PDB file of all heavy atoms in Angstrom:
ATOM      1  N   ARG A  49      44.229  -7.019   8.929  1.00  0.00           N
ATOM      2  CA  ARG A  49      42.948  -6.240   9.063  1.00  0.00           C
ATOM      3  C   ARG A  49      42.300  -6.564  10.505  1.00  0.00           C
ATOM      4  O   ARG A  49      41.670  -5.546  10.993  1.00  0.00           O
ATOM      5  CB  ARG A  49      41.990  -6.753   8.049  1.00  0.00           C
ATOM      6  CG  ARG A  49      42.451  -6.181   6.702  1.00  0.00           C
ATOM      7  CD  ARG A  49      41.293  -6.388   5.649  1.00  0.00           C
ATOM      8  NE  ARG A  49      41.669  -6.226   4.312  1.00  0.00           N
ATOM      9  CZ  ARG A  49      41.980  -6.958   3.375  1.00  0.00           C
ATOM     10  NH1 ARG A  49      42.401  -8.110   3.730  1.00  0.00           N
ATOM     11  NH2 ARG A  49      42.397  -6.548   2.112  1.00  0.00           N
ATOM     12  N   LYS A  52      43.975  -4.135  12.748  1.00  0.00           N
ATOM     13  CA  LYS A  52      43.487  -2.794  12.405  1.00  0.00           C
ATOM     14  C   LYS A  52      42.091  -2.585  13.215  1.00  0.00           C
ATOM     15  O   LYS A  52      41.875  -1.475  13.780  1.00  0.00           O
ATOM     16  CB  LYS A  52      43.174  -2.581  10.905  1.00  0.00           C
ATOM     17  CG  LYS A  52      43.656  -1.181  10.408  1.00  0.00           C
ATOM     18  CD  LYS A  52      43.646  -1.244   8.834  1.00  0.00           C
ATOM     19  CE  LYS A  52      43.010   0.093   8.362  1.00  0.00           C
ATOM     20  NZ  LYS A  52      42.860   0.076   6.970  1.00  0.00           N
ATOM     21  N   LYS A  56      41.215  -0.020  16.498  1.00  0.00           N
ATOM     22  CA  LYS A  56      40.092   1.013  16.630  1.00  0.00           C
ATOM     23  C   LYS A  56      39.307   0.751  17.823  1.00  0.00           C
ATOM     24  O   LYS A  56      38.267   1.352  18.005  1.00  0.00           O
ATOM     25  CB  LYS A  56      39.328   0.844  15.421  1.00  0.00           C
ATOM     26  CG  LYS A  56      39.935   1.380  14.194  1.00  0.00           C
ATOM     27  CD  LYS A  56      38.729   1.255  13.070  1.00  0.00           C
ATOM     28  CE  LYS A  56      39.463   1.240  11.590  1.00  0.00           C
ATOM     29  NZ  LYS A  56      38.524   0.640  10.707  1.00  0.00           N
ATOM     30  N   PHE A 119      33.998  -6.661   9.247  1.00  0.00           N
ATOM     31  CA  PHE A 119      34.553  -5.478   8.631  1.00  0.00           C
ATOM     32  C   PHE A 119      35.955  -5.836   7.984  1.00  0.00           C
ATOM     33  O   PHE A 119      36.415  -5.186   7.217  1.00  0.00           O
ATOM     34  CB  PHE A 119      34.663  -4.388   9.667  1.00  0.00           C
ATOM     35  CG  PHE A 119      34.944  -3.010   9.090  1.00  0.00           C
ATOM     36  CD1 PHE A 119      33.842  -2.385   8.544  1.00  0.00           C
ATOM     37  CD2 PHE A 119      36.100  -2.483   8.953  1.00  0.00           C
ATOM     38  CE1 PHE A 119      33.958  -1.216   7.981  1.00  0.00           C
ATOM     39  CE2 PHE A 119      36.275  -1.247   8.385  1.00  0.00           C
ATOM     40  CZ  PHE A 119      35.228  -0.523   7.904  1.00  0.00           C
ATOM     41  N   THR A 120      36.643  -6.913   8.382  1.00  0.00           N
ATOM     42  CA  THR A 120      37.882  -7.367   7.906  1.00  0.00           C
ATOM     43  C   THR A 120      37.811  -7.775   6.446  1.00  0.00           C
ATOM     44  O   THR A 120      38.805  -7.978   5.873  1.00  0.00           O
ATOM     45  CB  THR A 120      38.702  -8.208   8.750  1.00  0.00           C
ATOM     46  OG1 THR A 120      38.011  -9.557   8.796  1.00  0.00           O
ATOM     47  CG2 THR A 120      38.744  -7.774  10.334  1.00  0.00           C
ATOM     48  N   TYR A 122      36.221  -6.795   2.973  1.00  0.00           N
ATOM     49  CA  TYR A 122      35.618  -5.688   2.142  1.00  0.00           C
ATOM     50  C   TYR A 122      34.786  -4.806   3.131  1.00  0.00           C
ATOM     51  O   TYR A 122      33.649  -4.554   2.777  1.00  0.00           O
ATOM     52  CB  TYR A 122      34.747  -6.316   1.122  1.00  0.00           C
ATOM     53  CG  TYR A 122      35.494  -6.935   0.029  1.00  0.00           C
ATOM     54  CD1 TYR A 122      35.509  -8.408  -0.149  1.00  0.00           C
ATOM     55  CD2 TYR A 122      36.260  -6.184  -0.896  1.00  0.00           C
ATOM     56  CE1 TYR A 122      36.173  -8.962  -1.194  1.00  0.00           C
ATOM     57  CE2 TYR A 122      37.121  -6.848  -1.867  1.00  0.00           C
ATOM     58  CZ  TYR A 122      37.085  -8.191  -2.081  1.00  0.00           C
ATOM     59  OH  TYR A 122      37.719  -8.867  -3.059  1.00  0.00           O
ATOM     60  N   GLY A 123      35.252  -4.466   4.258  1.00  0.00           N
ATOM     61  CA  GLY A 123      34.540  -3.560   5.145  1.00  0.00           C
ATOM     62  C   GLY A 123      33.054  -4.096   5.563  1.00  0.00           C
ATOM     63  O   GLY A 123      32.283  -3.270   5.706  1.00  0.00           O
ATOM     64  N   THR A 125      30.888  -5.358   3.729  1.00  0.00           N
ATOM     65  CA  THR A 125      29.935  -4.960   2.812  1.00  0.00           C
ATOM     66  C   THR A 125      29.249  -6.092   2.280  1.00  0.00           C
ATOM     67  O   THR A 125      29.556  -7.318   2.324  1.00  0.00           O
ATOM     68  CB  THR A 125      30.599  -4.149   1.572  1.00  0.00           C
ATOM     69  OG1 THR A 125      31.721  -4.992   1.109  1.00  0.00           O
ATOM     70  CG2 THR A 125      31.154  -2.889   1.933  1.00  0.00           C
ATOM     71  N   SER A 154      29.407  -2.241   8.553  1.00  0.00           N
ATOM     72  CA  SER A 154      29.496  -2.427   6.985  1.00  0.00           C
ATOM     73  C   SER A 154      29.315  -1.106   6.197  1.00  0.00           C
ATOM     74  O   SER A 154      28.678  -0.134   6.510  1.00  0.00           O
ATOM     75  CB  SER A 154      28.116  -3.312   6.585  1.00  0.00           C
ATOM     76  OG  SER A 154      27.931  -3.328   5.300  1.00  0.00           O
ATOM     77  N   GLY A 155      30.171  -1.064   5.115  1.00  0.00           N
ATOM     78  CA  GLY A 155      30.047  -0.063   4.194  1.00  0.00           C
ATOM     79  C   GLY A 155      29.002  -0.070   3.254  1.00  0.00           C
ATOM     80  O   GLY A 155      28.834   0.619   2.149  1.00  0.00           O
ATOM     81  N   GLY A 156      27.979  -0.990   3.617  1.00  0.00           N
ATOM     82  CA  GLY A 156      26.744  -1.032   2.555  1.00  0.00           C
ATOM     83  C   GLY A 156      26.906  -2.016   1.450  1.00  0.00           C
ATOM     84  O   GLY A 156      27.570  -3.009   1.584  1.00  0.00           O
ATOM     85  N   ALA A 157      26.300  -1.602   0.337  1.00  0.00           N
ATOM     86  CA  ALA A 157      26.502  -2.453  -0.836  1.00  0.00           C
ATOM     87  C   ALA A 157      27.866  -2.618  -1.226  1.00  0.00           C
ATOM     88  O   ALA A 157      28.635  -1.574  -1.500  1.00  0.00           O
ATOM     89  CB  ALA A 157      25.446  -1.988  -1.931  1.00  0.00           C
ATOM     90  N   ARG A 158      28.439  -3.811  -1.560  1.00  0.00           N
ATOM     91  CA  ARG A 158      29.756  -3.974  -2.074  1.00  0.00           C
ATOM     92  C   ARG A 158      29.793  -3.480  -3.501  1.00  0.00           C
ATOM     93  O   ARG A 158      29.160  -4.111  -4.366  1.00  0.00           O
ATOM     94  CB  ARG A 158      30.178  -5.423  -1.951  1.00  0.00           C
ATOM     95  CG  ARG A 158      31.798  -5.553  -2.151  1.00  0.00           C
ATOM     96  CD  ARG A 158      32.210  -6.986  -1.878  1.00  0.00           C
ATOM     97  NE  ARG A 158      31.996  -7.430  -0.604  1.00  0.00           N
ATOM     98  CZ  ARG A 158      32.012  -8.808  -0.200  1.00  0.00           C
ATOM     99  NH1 ARG A 158      32.417  -9.758  -1.023  1.00  0.00           N
ATOM    100  NH2 ARG A 158      31.652  -9.070   1.134  1.00  0.00           N
ATOM    101  N   ILE A 159      30.639  -2.354  -3.640  1.00  0.00           N
ATOM    102  CA  ILE A 159      30.621  -1.749  -4.994  1.00  0.00           C
ATOM    103  C   ILE A 159      30.968  -2.736  -6.162  1.00  0.00           C
ATOM    104  O   ILE A 159      30.268  -2.641  -7.191  1.00  0.00           O
ATOM    105  CB  ILE A 159      31.605  -0.593  -4.915  1.00  0.00           C
ATOM    106  CG1 ILE A 159      31.097   0.450  -3.798  1.00  0.00           C
ATOM    107  CG2 ILE A 159      31.702   0.120  -6.230  1.00  0.00           C
ATOM    108  CD1 ILE A 159      32.172   1.544  -3.439  1.00  0.00           C
ATOM    109  N   GLN A 160      32.005  -3.605  -5.854  1.00  0.00           N
ATOM    110  CA  GLN A 160      32.337  -4.437  -7.030  1.00  0.00           C
ATOM    111  C   GLN A 160      31.273  -5.457  -7.450  1.00  0.00           C
ATOM    112  O   GLN A 160      31.352  -5.979  -8.482  1.00  0.00           O
ATOM    113  CB  GLN A 160      33.484  -5.312  -6.485  1.00  0.00           C
ATOM    114  CG  GLN A 160      34.804  -4.522  -6.064  1.00  0.00           C
ATOM    115  CD  GLN A 160      34.805  -4.203  -4.623  1.00  0.00           C
ATOM    116  OE1 GLN A 160      33.714  -3.804  -4.113  1.00  0.00           O
ATOM    117  NE2 GLN A 160      35.900  -4.147  -4.076  1.00  0.00           N
ATOM    118  N   LEU A 166      22.906  -4.829  -4.699  1.00  0.00           N
ATOM    119  CA  LEU A 166      21.561  -4.106  -4.432  1.00  0.00           C
ATOM    120  C   LEU A 166      20.476  -5.134  -4.308  1.00  0.00           C
ATOM    121  O   LEU A 166      19.592  -5.127  -3.317  1.00  0.00           O
ATOM    122  CB  LEU A 166      21.310  -3.273  -5.463  1.00  0.00           C
ATOM    123  CG  LEU A 166      22.435  -2.120  -5.890  1.00  0.00           C
ATOM    124  CD1 LEU A 166      22.114  -1.380  -7.011  1.00  0.00           C
ATOM    125  CD2 LEU A 166      22.613  -1.254  -4.627  1.00  0.00           C
ATOM    126  N   TYR A 169      20.348  -6.801  -1.010  1.00  0.00           N
ATOM    127  CA  TYR A 169      19.729  -5.971  -0.038  1.00  0.00           C
ATOM    128  C   TYR A 169      18.135  -6.145  -0.116  1.00  0.00           C
ATOM    129  O   TYR A 169      17.532  -6.172   0.863  1.00  0.00           O
ATOM    130  CB  TYR A 169      20.076  -4.504  -0.108  1.00  0.00           C
ATOM    131  CG  TYR A 169      21.207  -4.171   0.877  1.00  0.00           C
ATOM    132  CD1 TYR A 169      22.359  -3.559   0.483  1.00  0.00           C
ATOM    133  CD2 TYR A 169      21.213  -4.499   2.140  1.00  0.00           C
ATOM    134  CE1 TYR A 169      23.427  -3.278   1.289  1.00  0.00           C
ATOM    135  CE2 TYR A 169      22.217  -4.328   3.168  1.00  0.00           C
ATOM    136  CZ  TYR A 169      23.280  -3.630   2.773  1.00  0.00           C
ATOM    137  OH  TYR A 169      24.355  -3.425   3.486  1.00  0.00           O
ATOM    138  N   PHE A 173      15.489  -6.761   2.922  1.00  0.00           N
ATOM    139  CA  PHE A 173      14.499  -5.923   3.214  1.00  0.00           C
ATOM    140  C   PHE A 173      13.194  -6.490   3.206  1.00  0.00           C
ATOM    141  O   PHE A 173      12.313  -6.356   4.112  1.00  0.00           O
ATOM    142  CB  PHE A 173      14.525  -4.754   2.273  1.00  0.00           C
ATOM    143  CG  PHE A 173      15.807  -3.738   2.314  1.00  0.00           C
ATOM    144  CD1 PHE A 173      16.155  -2.963   1.241  1.00  0.00           C
ATOM    145  CD2 PHE A 173      16.711  -3.910   3.341  1.00  0.00           C
ATOM    146  CE1 PHE A 173      17.223  -2.213   1.201  1.00  0.00           C
ATOM    147  CE2 PHE A 173      17.822  -3.138   3.386  1.00  0.00           C
ATOM    148  CZ  PHE A 173      18.075  -2.317   2.328  1.00  0.00           C
ATOM    149  N   PRO A 192      30.624   1.910  11.154  1.00  0.00           N
ATOM    150  CA  PRO A 192      29.923   2.691  10.128  1.00  0.00           C
ATOM    151  C   PRO A 192      28.799   1.878   9.295  1.00  0.00           C
ATOM    152  O   PRO A 192      29.136   0.680   9.012  1.00  0.00           O
ATOM    153  CB  PRO A 192      31.068   3.105   9.031  1.00  0.00           C
ATOM    154  CG  PRO A 192      32.084   2.087   9.225  1.00  0.00           C
ATOM    155  CD  PRO A 192      31.940   1.555  10.642  1.00  0.00           C
ATOM    156  N   ALA A 194      26.389   2.162   6.347  1.00  0.00           N
ATOM    157  CA  ALA A 194      25.930   3.074   5.275  1.00  0.00           C
ATOM    158  C   ALA A 194      24.954   2.349   4.344  1.00  0.00           C
ATOM    159  O   ALA A 194      24.921   1.217   4.151  1.00  0.00           O
ATOM    160  CB  ALA A 194      27.153   3.438   4.395  1.00  0.00           C
ATOM    161  N   GLY A 195      24.018   3.148   3.739  1.00  0.00           N
ATOM    162  CA  GLY A 195      23.123   2.673   2.719  1.00  0.00           C
ATOM    163  C   GLY A 195      22.166   1.573   3.325  1.00  0.00           C
ATOM    164  O   GLY A 195      21.500   1.762   4.223  1.00  0.00           O
ATOM    165  N   GLY A 196      22.360   0.387   2.596  1.00  0.00           N
ATOM    166  CA  GLY A 196      21.438  -0.734   2.914  1.00  0.00           C
ATOM    167  C   GLY A 196      21.738  -1.145   4.423  1.00  0.00           C
ATOM    168  O   GLY A 196      20.730  -1.674   5.148  1.00  0.00           O
ATOM    169  N   ALA A 197      22.927  -0.930   4.956  1.00  0.00           N
ATOM    170  CA  ALA A 197      23.316  -1.288   6.274  1.00  0.00           C
ATOM    171  C   ALA A 197      22.635  -0.400   7.326  1.00  0.00           C
ATOM    172  O   ALA A 197      22.489  -0.690   8.511  1.00  0.00           O
ATOM    173  CB  ALA A 197      24.723  -1.306   6.419  1.00  0.00           C
ATOM    174  N   TYR A 199      19.351   0.818   6.338  1.00  0.00           N
ATOM    175  CA  TYR A 199      17.957   0.561   5.961  1.00  0.00           C
ATOM    176  C   TYR A 199      17.392  -0.642   6.483  1.00  0.00           C
ATOM    177  O   TYR A 199      16.140  -0.751   6.915  1.00  0.00           O
ATOM    178  CB  TYR A 199      17.645   0.709   4.424  1.00  0.00           C
ATOM    179  CG  TYR A 199      17.101   1.973   4.160  1.00  0.00           C
ATOM    180  CD1 TYR A 199      17.453   2.693   2.923  1.00  0.00           C
ATOM    181  CD2 TYR A 199      16.043   2.475   4.801  1.00  0.00           C
ATOM    182  CE1 TYR A 199      16.863   3.821   2.492  1.00  0.00           C
ATOM    183  CE2 TYR A 199      15.401   3.699   4.467  1.00  0.00           C
ATOM    184  CZ  TYR A 199      15.859   4.341   3.163  1.00  0.00           C
ATOM    185  OH  TYR A 199      15.221   5.476   3.028  1.00  0.00           O
ATOM    186  N   PHE A 217      24.072   6.245   8.051  1.00  0.00           N
ATOM    187  CA  PHE A 217      23.708   7.298   7.106  1.00  0.00           C
ATOM    188  C   PHE A 217      23.350   6.607   5.782  1.00  0.00           C
ATOM    189  O   PHE A 217      23.889   5.466   5.499  1.00  0.00           O
ATOM    190  CB  PHE A 217      24.634   8.390   6.866  1.00  0.00           C
ATOM    191  CG  PHE A 217      26.083   8.000   6.966  1.00  0.00           C
ATOM    192  CD1 PHE A 217      26.718   7.133   6.074  1.00  0.00           C
ATOM    193  CD2 PHE A 217      26.921   8.256   8.152  1.00  0.00           C
ATOM    194  CE1 PHE A 217      28.107   6.837   6.139  1.00  0.00           C
ATOM    195  CE2 PHE A 217      28.181   7.968   8.300  1.00  0.00           C
ATOM    196  CZ  PHE A 217      28.725   7.141   7.229  1.00  0.00           C
ATOM    197  N   LEU A 218      22.550   7.188   4.995  1.00  0.00           N
ATOM    198  CA  LEU A 218      22.333   6.704   3.542  1.00  0.00           C
ATOM    199  C   LEU A 218      23.386   6.977   2.616  1.00  0.00           C
ATOM    200  O   LEU A 218      24.102   6.149   1.892  1.00  0.00           O
ATOM    201  CB  LEU A 218      20.970   7.191   3.033  1.00  0.00           C
ATOM    202  CG  LEU A 218      19.740   6.769   3.829  1.00  0.00           C
ATOM    203  CD1 LEU A 218      18.305   7.070   3.069  1.00  0.00           C
ATOM    204  CD2 LEU A 218      19.708   5.087   3.996  1.00  0.00           C
ATOM    205  N   GLY A 220      27.327   8.782   2.660  1.00  0.00           N
ATOM    206  CA  GLY A 220      28.436   9.095   3.715  1.00  0.00           C
ATOM    207  C   GLY A 220      28.955  10.441   3.457  1.00  0.00           C
ATOM    208  O   GLY A 220      28.646  11.055   2.370  1.00  0.00           O
ATOM    209  N   GLU A 222      31.781  11.286   2.226  1.00  0.00           N
ATOM    210  CA  GLU A 222      32.580  11.422   0.941  1.00  0.00           C
ATOM    211  C   GLU A 222      31.600  11.724  -0.175  1.00  0.00           C
ATOM    212  O   GLU A 222      31.756  12.581  -1.059  1.00  0.00           O
ATOM    213  CB  GLU A 222      33.222  10.090   0.664  1.00  0.00           C
ATOM    214  CG  GLU A 222      34.294   9.698   1.578  1.00  0.00           C
ATOM    215  CD  GLU A 222      35.552  10.766   1.494  1.00  0.00           C
ATOM    216  OE1 GLU A 222      35.675  11.287   0.530  1.00  0.00           O
ATOM    217  OE2 GLU A 222      36.033  10.821   2.580  1.00  0.00           O
ATOM    218  N   VAL A 223      30.417  11.036  -0.115  1.00  0.00           N
ATOM    219  CA  VAL A 223      29.418  11.315  -1.184  1.00  0.00           C
ATOM    220  C   VAL A 223      28.793  12.770  -1.074  1.00  0.00           C
ATOM    221  O   VAL A 223      28.732  13.423  -2.051  1.00  0.00           O
ATOM    222  CB  VAL A 223      28.343  10.272  -1.196  1.00  0.00           C
ATOM    223  CG1 VAL A 223      27.280  10.396  -2.251  1.00  0.00           C
ATOM    224  CG2 VAL A 223      28.870   8.890  -1.240  1.00  0.00           C
TER     225      VAL A 223
HETATM  226  C1  HXC B   1      33.453  -2.344  -1.372  1.00  0.00           C
HETATM  227  C2  HXC B   1      34.259  -1.374   0.399  1.00  0.00           C
HETATM  228  C3  HXC B   1      33.120  -0.476   0.584  1.00  0.00           C
HETATM  229  C4  HXC B   1      32.083  -0.762  -0.405  1.00  0.00           C
HETATM  230  C5  HXC B   1      34.396   0.008   2.254  1.00  0.00           C
HETATM  231  N1  HXC B   1      35.024  -0.965   1.406  1.00  0.00           N
HETATM  232  N2  HXC B   1      33.180   0.280   1.668  1.00  0.00           N
HETATM  233  N3  HXC B   1      34.408  -2.145  -0.412  1.00  0.00           N
HETATM  234  N4  HXC B   1      32.161  -1.663  -1.270  1.00  0.00           N
HETATM  235  N5  HXC B   1      30.858  -0.115  -0.423  1.00  0.00           N
HETATM  236  C6  HXC B   1      36.298  -1.533   1.757  1.00  0.00           C
HETATM  237  C7  HXC B   1      37.574  -0.683   1.568  1.00  0.00           C
HETATM  238  O1  HXC B   1      37.939  -0.613   0.285  1.00  0.00           O
HETATM  239  C8  HXC B   1      38.592  -1.298   2.482  1.00  0.00           C
HETATM  240  O2  HXC B   1      39.082  -2.428   1.985  1.00  0.00           O
HETATM  241  C9  HXC B   1      37.597  -1.709   3.633  1.00  0.00           C
HETATM  242  O3  HXC B   1      36.355  -1.939   3.250  1.00  0.00           O
HETATM  243  C10 HXC B   1      37.556  -0.747   4.900  1.00  0.00           C
HETATM  244  O4  HXC B   1      37.217   0.510   4.373  1.00  0.00           O
HETATM  245  P1  HXC B   1      38.014   1.897   4.778  1.00  0.00           P
HETATM  246  O5  HXC B   1      37.418   2.897   3.904  1.00  0.00           O
HETATM  247  O6  HXC B   1      39.385   1.599   4.803  1.00  0.00           O
HETATM  248  O7  HXC B   1      37.484   2.006   6.249  1.00  0.00           O
HETATM  249  P2  HXC B   1      37.102   3.262   6.994  1.00  0.00           P
HETATM  250  O8  HXC B   1      37.959   4.447   6.896  1.00  0.00           O
HETATM  251  O9  HXC B   1      36.737   2.916   8.469  1.00  0.00           O
HETATM  252  O10 HXC B   1      35.683   3.753   6.239  1.00  0.00           O
HETATM  253  C11 HXC B   1      34.598   2.869   6.303  1.00  0.00           C
HETATM  254  C12 HXC B   1      33.414   3.622   5.482  1.00  0.00           C
HETATM  255  C13 HXC B   1      33.915   3.934   4.011  1.00  0.00           C
HETATM  256  C14 HXC B   1      32.862   4.849   6.187  1.00  0.00           C
HETATM  257  C15 HXC B   1      32.222   2.579   5.303  1.00  0.00           C
HETATM  258  O11 HXC B   1      34.680   2.952   3.518  1.00  0.00           O
HETATM  259  C16 HXC B   1      32.896   4.442   3.080  1.00  0.00           C
HETATM  260  O12 HXC B   1      32.346   5.481   3.137  1.00  0.00           O
HETATM  261  N6  HXC B   1      32.526   3.474   2.233  1.00  0.00           N
HETATM  262  C17 HXC B   1      31.404   3.600   1.239  1.00  0.00           C
HETATM  263  C18 HXC B   1      30.100   3.682   1.878  1.00  0.00           C
HETATM  264  C19 HXC B   1      29.049   3.732   0.835  1.00  0.00           C
HETATM  265  O13 HXC B   1      28.703   4.824   0.188  1.00  0.00           O
HETATM  266  N7  HXC B   1      28.569   2.704   0.553  1.00  0.00           N
HETATM  267  C20 HXC B   1      27.441   2.406  -0.537  1.00  0.00           C
HETATM  268  C21 HXC B   1      26.169   2.484   0.079  1.00  0.00           C
HETATM  269  S1  HXC B   1      24.829   2.330  -1.177  1.00  0.00           S
HETATM  270  P3  HXC B   1      40.405  -2.947   2.348  1.00  0.00           P
HETATM  271  O14 HXC B   1      40.846  -3.955   1.262  1.00  0.00           O
HETATM  272  O15 HXC B   1      41.460  -1.826   2.298  1.00  0.00           O
HETATM  273  O16 HXC B   1      40.385  -3.666   3.712  1.00  0.00           O
HETATM  274  C22 HXC B   1      24.040   1.052  -0.593  1.00  0.00           C
HETATM  275  C23 HXC B   1      22.759   0.699  -1.428  1.00  0.00           C
HETATM  276  C24 HXC B   1      21.632   0.138  -0.591  1.00  0.00           C
HETATM  277  O17 HXC B   1      24.114   0.402   0.356  1.00  0.00           O
HETATM  278  C25 HXC B   1      20.257   0.599  -0.946  1.00  0.00           C
HETATM  279  C26 HXC B   1      19.406   0.907   0.113  1.00  0.00           C
HETATM  280  C27 HXC B   1      18.130   1.412  -0.286  1.00  0.00           C
END
Side-chain angles (χ1 to χ4, degrees):
R49 290 195 183 89
K52 219 170 143 190
K56 288 184 201 158
F119 196 80
T120 68
Y122 291 112
T125 49
S154 168
R158 192 175 301 168
I159 297 163
Q160 297 91 324
L166 301 178
Y169 265 129
F173 299 160
Y199 257 136
F217 35 72
L218 295 187
E222 295 298 330
V223 180

